[in-house]
Amino acid sequence: MVPLSARANGTKATILVVDDSPAMLRYLRLLLEIDSYQVETASNGADALLCIRQGCSPAVVLLDVQMPGMDGLKTLRRLMKLQPDLNVIMCSGVDDPAKIRRATLLGAKAYLYLSAAVERCLDSMSRAETETNSRGSVITLPRPPHTRYDTN
């Protein structure tokens, strides 16, 4: 089902999502594409830098703070050297005031704290993909308010 407003407005800006969690990449891609954004993904900082070097010009980068290898703060520093006017929003499951301050000083426009509920939802989805024969909970996400859907 596609929101009528998304079809009427056409495609919006490109968003680059950088996260080492495949479940989080799928989740954010789905949310953004439902709202008609173009979505590029990178599973680590090095891939994000390569994407930018190869000509990707995202309106916004959603960047995970905690990644193995090059973490989000190191990636942010390098992204800002490549494109100082880049709009980067840091994302984390950990509310860490020191990292928030550091990210802001490095040029991040915002810091998004992903709640434990989103993390539990993603964990449930990952388990559901691998445990096809087990019984479990059903999670129903509500429709956004004031949005009309068609049935195609």
Side-chain angles (χ1 to χ4, degrees), residues 54-128:
Q54 291 179 338
C56 179
S57 293
V60 176
V61 176
L62 296 178
L63 178 59
D64 184 18
V65 173
Q66 295 179 304
M67 295 185 293
M70 186 186 323
D71 70 8
L73 293 173
K74 288 179 186 172
T75 303
L76 173 63
R77 180 181 298 115
R78 292 183 183 176
L79 285 171
M80 297 311 286
K81 283 183 182 177
L82 285 175
Q83 285 191 7
D85 60 339
L86 201 57
N87 295 310
V88 180
I89 298 173
M90 303 301 292
C91 303
S92 180
V94 178
D95 188 14
D96 184 341
K99 285 189 179 178
I100 294 170
R101 278 191 303 278
R102 189 158 174 226
T104 302
L105 291 172
L106 290 171
K109 303 291 189 224
Y111 191 100
L112 178 62
Y113 174 65
L114 300 174
S115 72
V118 170
E119 293 295 326
R120 283 195 306 271
C121 180
L122 291 172
D123 288 342
S124 296
M125 288 188 295
S126 294
R127 279 195 309 275

Side-chain angles (χ1 to χ4, degrees), residues 1-10 34 36 147-151:
M1 295 189 305
V2 178
L4 291 176
S5 61
R7 287 192 323 173
N9 294 334
I34 284 173
S36 298
T147 303
R148 293 177 45 202
Y149 291 86
D150 72 357
T151 56

Side-chain angles (χ1 to χ4, degrees), residues 2-25:
V2 178
L4 291 176
S5 61
R7 287 192 323 173
N9 294 334
T11 303
K12 294 181 181 178
T14 299
I15 309 296
L16 173 60
V17 180
V18 186
D19 201 300
D20 61 310
S21 165
M24 183 60 83
L25 286 175

Side-chain angles (χ1 to χ4, degrees), residues 29-50:
R29 175 186 286 278
L30 176 67
L31 288 177
L32 293 166
E33 286 180 345
I34 284 173
D35 202 25
S36 298
Y37 286 97
Q38 291 273 99
V39 180
E40 297 290 331
T41 61
S43 59
N44 57 55
D47 287 348
L49 292 168
L50 181 62

